[in-house]
Amino acid sequence: MKRSIFLFIIVCAFFAKTSVFAQIQKHAHWTYTFSKNDVKQGETVDLIFTAILDKDWYLYSSDFDPELGPMLTSFAFTPDKSFSLVGKLKPQHPKTKYEEVWGGNVKFFDDKAVFKQTIKVLTDKPVIKGSSEYQTCSHTSGLCVPGNDDFEFKGLKVVASAGTAPALESTTPSETKSVGANAVSPTDTTMQETANIALSAGDSAGAMSENEAPKIDLSSSEDPAAGAPAADKSLWAFALAAFLSGLVALLTPCVFPIIPMTVSYFTNQTNGKVKALLYGISIVLIYTLIGTVVSRLNGPAFANFLSTHWIPNVLFFGIFFVFGLSFLGLFEIVLPSAFVNKMDAKADQGGYAGIFFMAFTLVLVSFSCTGPIVGSLLVASAGGAVVKPIIGMAAFSSAFAIPFTLFALFPQWLKSLPKSGGWLNTVKVVLGFLELALALKFLSIADQVYHWRLLDREVYLAFWIVIFSMLGFYLLGKISTPHDSPVERVSVPRILLSIITFTFVIYMLPGMWGAPLKALAGYLPPQSTIDFDLSKKGVGVAPAASSGVTKKYADLFHLPHELDGFFDIKEAQAYAKKVNKPVFIDFTGHGCVNCREMEARVWSDPEVLKRLQNDFVIAALYVDDKTELPESEWYTSKYDNKVKKTIGGQNADFQIVKYNNNAQPHYCIVDQEGNLLVAPKNYDLNPASFAAYLDKGKAAFAAK
């Protein structure tokens, strides 16, 4: 999220000392109710989580890509044999917007947030409780505040019902599906009573860290419309993308030759117009059936497997790679002729049954070219939703079916169609280059999740630069493939396409040395995987001198602009005593938009960067990191009496207990014992103001 520049005016600065920094902030106020008050054993009921938000504050939803950065809302249930979870968490009509900082769409709530979770009641006195994690941010001040609340649902009246499953009986595999080797069912009798089952709420769950607590995703049995509100703009965007993909599929060489066959079939048909419409409808139904079957098999568990496991991603890479080689002319991919001929024979029988088999023949013959596009749509729609794959396939097939239906209605149009020839092979080869480029995305996902380090950012970019350069030379006729016709002169459309291609190549080149390439953020590996990143160098200042100390968690976290620092407060304080400098504490988070904005726009200022490098010992404390610490390092918080097991949990607890604040970004300049030297500072995009704050802290330390 890129907000306008917010300046702290004098009045805000005055009140900051007495209000913002002197209290624990909470801007979401939760209530917990049931969708109905009376149920029978074995029936389902919706748990309704409602948050009333303070004015000008918003709360992130639970159903967007967790890899983008912001903290998604989630609810962890304490396991109990009196109930089981059914389906996934359902946020109720969140808003969607594109945030440039994260390079993707996020979903959020203003004023009021509502989430629903379906459960199956197994006994007459269900014990339904747990804890929630969420993040609220201010539209005006730029502050972000993580939240962690306990919840409990009470007051449900349960009536015994004949035929109800025994109270202690575990849920069946059809009722729950788990993600991760350590995930377990809510009713597993071997589970410790204090364990938490974290309900993943995203449509595309990220990979589970080996150090994270076990999490479970559950297959959905909800109403098909529940997961896709009519007003959801992302669903309309997906449908439009699918429709456009169907139009692109019409240009593939497997499809074009079928048009004359279609026209010849319908030329002498009686009731031609009716049969032509039936033909188009049949194409849509066949393709949509594929989406329906996949959607019924899908679930969040399958989506996590499909999105992050190496097996499906390497498989998709292989499929795209093979199709790419085929399109370039290395070999031809065809379905078994006996099967295709059998379908074609059915079509020759005529009548309305023949119309359907004619459409089925079209789908089969064209699948060699449309298969990768259909597969991409199904991958994009993965996530357990029922509606999205169906809409995607319906939109794709509608675009695909419209021209065939029109040619069936008006067979005389065939005379005006350009003849099949060399231009079709050109389209095929261009698609082949694109297939090879897109194949790398799937391999990259597996590479990042399993830390193979085969496709670091610069290696990935090198492949793309070479692939698109060769595409540009092909368009100019400098490269030819086995089935190309001789290029005597380059047409204007090919020249324009080559200009676009080479412009794209030049745009990618600086990325080899660390340029962010924001337009490709969703396709490239993370910036942190690049080995030689010139963007890490400070602007106008020398790189920070290393402290020469081995630091805890240095393999997990990194400071921007090649700053040297620590990620553990005790280590930072010990080193500060050694070098006699104050400590600059940066309370930050992976999901903190404004933290990244401060680092990019304020910390990068030469005057600020110089002070951070030379005058302070930096301690960057991530409050939302889920890395679980060894059990010997756990402790029970004096603030909320909860056991703090993770790096983020302990850092957040330290911020609350020591400095009475839980917002990020939050900057504290302290002495070597952790005592504040000056009032803390939060989000402030004025570099001069931030430099003055650092100077004030340095002077206060020198005066002690």
Side-chain angles (χ1 to χ4, degrees):
M1 174 178 47
K2 282 287 187 182
R3 298 192 179 93
S4 302
I5 298 178
F6 294 106
L7 300 177
F8 278 124
I9 60 176
I10 297 177
V11 175
C12 292
F14 174 79
F15 284 105
K17 297 181 181 180
T18 58
S19 59
V20 174
F21 305 128
Q23 60 182 342
I24 301 300
Q25 298 186 49
K26 183 175 181 179
H27 301 283
H29 310 280
W30 294 88
T31 57
Y32 312 101
T33 57
F34 297 94
S35 59
K36 52 186 177 181
N37 295 324
D38 300 323
V39 296
K40 296 180 181 179
Q41 289 186 31
E43 288 186 345
T44 60
V45 64
D46 285 341
L47 307 179
I48 303 175
F49 301 81
T50 304
I52 303 300
L53 305 174
D54 290 347
K55 184 180 179 182
D56 296 325
W57 286 79
Y58 62 95
L59 179 140
Y60 282 110
S61 184
S62 61
D63 54 342
F64 59 93
D65 186 358
E67 298 298 325
L68 282 180
M71 181 188 296
L72 276 65
T73 299
S74 64
F75 300 94
F77 289 83
T78 301
D80 193 271
K81 295 168 183 166
S82 60
F83 76 99
S84 64
L85 302 176
V86 178
K88 62 181 181 179
L89 186 70
K90 302 181 285 290
Q92 303 299 300
H93 311 301
K95 299 179 180 179
T96 302
K97 65 177 176 179
Y98 179 86
E99 287 190 345
E100 186 177 349
V101 169
W102 302 120
N105 289 325
V106 300
K107 295 186 179 182
F108 65 101
F109 295 92
D110 279 325
D111 302 323
K112 180 180 179 181
V114 179
F115 301 83
K116 292 183 179 181
Q117 171 61 50
T118 303
I119 66 167
K120 184 176 182 179
V121 179
L122 302 177
T123 68
D124 59 345
K125 294 181 180 180
V127 179
I128 309 168
K129 59 184 179 179
S131 61
S132 62
E133 286 189 344
Y134 55 90
Q135 182 175 340
T136 54
C137 294
S138 171
H139 285 299
T140 57
S141 67
L143 293 179
C144 285
V145 179
N148 188 328
D149 294 344
D150 293 331
F151 64 80
E152 184 173 4
F153 286 82
K154 297 181 179 180
L156 184 65
K157 183 178 179 181
V158 181
V159 180
S161 176
T164 301
L168 299 181
E169 183 177 87
S170 297
T171 54
T172 65
S174 64
E175 291 171 334
T176 62
K177 291 183 180 179
S178 60
V179 172
N182 298 324
V184 290
S185 166
T187 55
D188 191 339
T189 57
T190 65
M191 178 181 287
Q192 299 178 4
E193 288 298 318
T194 56
N196 283 335
I197 300 172
L199 178 64
S200 175
D203 278 346
S204 56
M208 185 178 73
S209 167
E210 294 177 357
N211 295 324
E212 286 181 338
K215 294 186 178 182
I216 183 168
D217 280 318
L218 299 147
S219 62
S220 175
S221 60
E222 60 193 294
D223 181 79
D232 191 343
K233 295 181 181 179
S234 65
L235 189 60
W236 288 107
F238 179 75
L240 177 60
F243 185 83
L244 295 176
S245 298
L247 295 179
V248 171
L250 292 170
L251 299 176
T252 58
C254 308
V255 175
F256 193 89
I258 304 175
I259 295 178
M261 181 180 70
T262 300
V263 175
S264 62
Y265 180 83
F266 284 97
T267 299
N268 299 317
Q269 288 283 337
T270 58
N271 296 324
K273 295 189 185 314
V274 175
K275 291 183 178 180
L277 293 175
L278 179 62
Y279 177 59
I281 294 172
S282 298
I283 295 173
V284 174
L285 289 177
I286 292 169
Y287 268 112
T288 305
L289 181 63
I290 298 174
T292 304
V293 171
V294 171
S295 70
R296 298 311 298 171
L297 296 176
N298 254 346
F302 178 75
N304 184 276
F305 177 83
L306 193 66
S307 301
T308 62
H309 200 278
W310 71 269
I311 292 178
N313 280 288
V314 171
L315 178 62
F316 290 140
F317 164 75
I319 292 172
F320 273 61
F321 185 75
V322 169
F323 272 103
L325 295 180
S326 174
F327 286 1
L328 291 177
L330 183 61
F331 49 80
E332 292 292 331
I333 299 176
V334 295
L335 289 169
S337 58
F339 184 62
V340 175
N341 291 337
K342 186 175 181 180
M343 294 298 100
D344 191 51
K346 291 287 185 181
D348 290 338
Q349 293 177 4
Y352 291 103
I355 298 295
F356 177 81
F357 283 103
M358 182 71 187
F360 200 31
T361 301
L362 166 64
V363 173
L364 290 176
V365 174
S366 65
F367 187 77
S368 298
C369 291
T370 62
I373 302 176
V374 172
S376 300
L377 289 173
L378 293 179
V379 170
S381 66
V386 176
V387 172
K388 196 170 185 180
I390 296 175
I391 289 181
M393 289 297 97
F396 171 86
S397 55
S398 295
F400 191 73
I402 287 173
F404 286 97
T405 304
L406 292 176
F407 278 111
L409 285 169
F410 308 103
Q412 64 272 18
W413 288 0
L414 180 63
K415 297 179 181 179
S416 62
L417 202 63
K419 300 298 182 182
S420 177
W423 72 274
L424 274 179
N425 192 69
T426 300
V427 172
K428 185 177 180 180
V429 172
V430 170
L431 288 174
F433 282 113
L434 295 178
E435 291 282 304
L436 293 179
L438 293 174
L440 292 173
K441 175 60 179 173
F442 295 103
L443 184 60
S444 175
I445 293 173
D447 181 64
Q448 293 172 47
V449 171
Y450 292 92
H451 305 288
W452 297 337
R453 299 305 298 267
L454 299 174
L455 275 181
D456 286 350
R457 189 179 178 94
E458 68 272 26
V459 177
Y460 189 102
L461 276 171
F463 273 114
W464 270 36
I465 288 170
V466 171
I467 289 172
F468 283 97
S469 295
M470 294 184 69
L471 174 58
F473 285 121
Y474 173 78
L475 291 169
L476 291 176
K478 303 301 181 182
I479 298 175
S480 61
T481 59
H483 303 294
D484 278 322
S485 301
V487 179
E488 298 179 358
R489 62 177 61 88
V490 180
S491 65
V492 173
R494 290 179 70 140
I495 291 176
L496 293 177
L497 287 174
S498 66
I499 291 174
I500 295 173
T501 303
F502 282 119
T503 301
F504 181 55
V505 170
I506 294 173
Y507 171 77
M508 288 190 289
L509 283 173
M512 295 288 293
W513 297 277
L517 304 182
K518 294 181 180 180
L520 298 176
Y523 294 93
L524 302 181
Q527 188 87 10
S528 59
T529 64
I530 197 167
D531 294 325
F532 184 59
D533 191 350
L534 291 178
S535 69
K536 291 182 178 179
K537 303 294 183 182
V539 182
V541 285
S546 173
S547 62
V549 178
T550 302
K551 307 175 184 67
K552 292 177 67 174
Y553 317 132
D555 58 329
L556 299 175
F557 312 120
H558 303 278
L559 283 167
H561 313 301
E562 288 195 329
L563 285 165
D564 186 51
F566 297 82
F567 308 100
D568 178 81
I569 187 59
K570 293 181 180 178
E571 284 190 349
Q573 289 173 338
Y575 185 74
K577 292 179 181 178
K578 180 180 177 181
V579 298
N580 194 31
K581 290 182 179 180
V583 179
F584 174 82
I585 303 178
D586 169 26
F587 288 105
T588 184
H590 298 295
C592 176
V593 176
N594 293 306
C595 300
R596 304 292 86 78
E597 192 171 18
M598 286 290 294
E599 293 164 1
R601 299 175 61 177
V602 178
W603 289 29
S604 62
D605 181 82
E607 291 302 314
V608 173
L609 191 57
K610 179 174 65 177
R611 288 163 170 79
L612 290 174
Q613 286 177 343
N614 302 324
D615 300 336
F616 300 91
V617 174
I618 302 174
L621 305 182
Y622 282 77
V623 302
D624 59 358
D625 188 78
K626 303 300 182 185
T627 303
E628 186 170 319
L629 296 167
E631 190 171 354
S632 60
E633 298 182 28
W634 297 358
Y635 69 86
T636 301
S637 170
K638 297 178 181 178
Y639 171 70
D640 57 11
N641 295 317
K642 294 181 179 180
V643 178
K644 303 301 178 183
K645 303 179 181 180
T646 64
I647 294 175
Q650 293 190 2
N651 287 336
D653 185 65
F654 173 67
Q655 182 184 1
I656 292 172
V657 173
K658 183 68 176 179
Y659 302 111
N660 200 35
N661 190 278
N662 65 337
Q664 292 82 43
H666 190 68
Y667 306 112
C668 298
I669 299 177
V670 303
D671 62 19
Q672 296 148 5
E673 305 301 327
N675 301 310
L676 285 171
L677 296 171
V678 292
K681 196 172 188 66
N682 288 70
Y683 181 79
D684 182 359
L685 290 177
N686 186 338
S689 173
F690 202 83
Y693 164 70
L694 296 176
D695 288 339
K696 186 177 179 181
K698 179 183 177 182
F701 177 78
K704 288 193 65 175

